[in-house]
Amino acid sequence: MTRKATKPEARKPPTAGGGKEPLVLIVDDVQDNRTVYVLFLRFSGFRVAEAENGVEALRQAEALVPDIIVMDLSLPVMDGWEATRHLKRGRRTEGIPVIALTGHALPEHAKAAREAGCDLVITKPCLPDQLVDAIRRILDSSKLRPKGGR
């Protein structure tokens, strides 16, 4: 009796809902930052898209409608504050939670980010597991919100 050789199946990290993994859009102009977060988020069971400036973030968000966006605030072309304001006014993107991940550590920066529409502000440097925890908390809390409301 001969056995057919089979390929080992790739192991996927479990997801909370057992369904499609949440899509995270990482927006950062520093390639090394994006690489670290993208790899860790994928390892943690998320699907990930990337953008390196605010204009690209708006295009990606409109096209993909991610479950959450992690937005650097200091970006070329269009900064993260302005990109977030556009997202929160967009019909398809207004309900997407935005986490500001920024090197701007002053309280007035955090206040301006929240006024622009960021749901949470995290100061860099941030360990990848702390970011994953924050993303999961926001995604869990957004499931409890009624549709169409923030």
Side-chain angles (χ1 to χ4, degrees), residues 3-140:
R3 290 180 59 190
K4 265 188 175 175
T6 59
K7 291 182 183 177
E9 288 187 37
R11 243 179 85 124
K12 289 171 101 178
T15 57
K20 198 175 191 183
E21 295 88 352
L23 175 61
V24 180
L25 174 58
I26 297 287
V27 186
D28 198 310
D29 59 324
V30 178
Q31 177 64 51
D32 289 344
N33 292 345
R34 285 196 320 271
T35 299
V36 168
Y37 292 121
V38 166
L39 290 173
F40 199 85
L41 287 166
R42 285 185 179 147
F43 174 79
S44 299
F46 294 97
R47 294 178 299 134
V48 185
E50 302 177 51
E52 63 183 40
N53 63 61
V55 171
E56 192 177 315
L58 294 177
R59 281 191 208 118
Q60 290 275 49
E62 185 70 28
L64 302 173
V65 190
D67 295 286
I68 192 164
I69 298 171
V70 177
M71 178 83 69
D72 186 14
L73 296 177
S74 293
L75 297 168
V77 185
M78 177 188 291
D79 67 39
W81 288 285
E82 187 63 25
T84 300
R85 282 191 282 277
H86 281 281
L87 288 165
K88 295 303 179 170
R89 289 191 305 257
R91 198 166 179 219
R92 287 174 47 90
T93 58
E94 67 184 348
I96 301 171
V98 177
I99 295 176
L101 182 59
T102 181
H104 295 284
L106 297 176
E108 54 266 22
H109 293 131
K111 182 179 180 216
R114 283 191 292 280
E115 287 171 353
C118 294
D119 297 87
L120 179 66
V121 180
I122 299 175
T123 304
K124 290 178 186 176
C126 171
L127 294 173
D129 60 335
Q130 292 171 318
L131 179 59
V132 167
D133 289 343
I135 289 169
R136 287 190 174 133
R137 273 194 320 272
I138 288 180
L139 289 176
D140 287 346

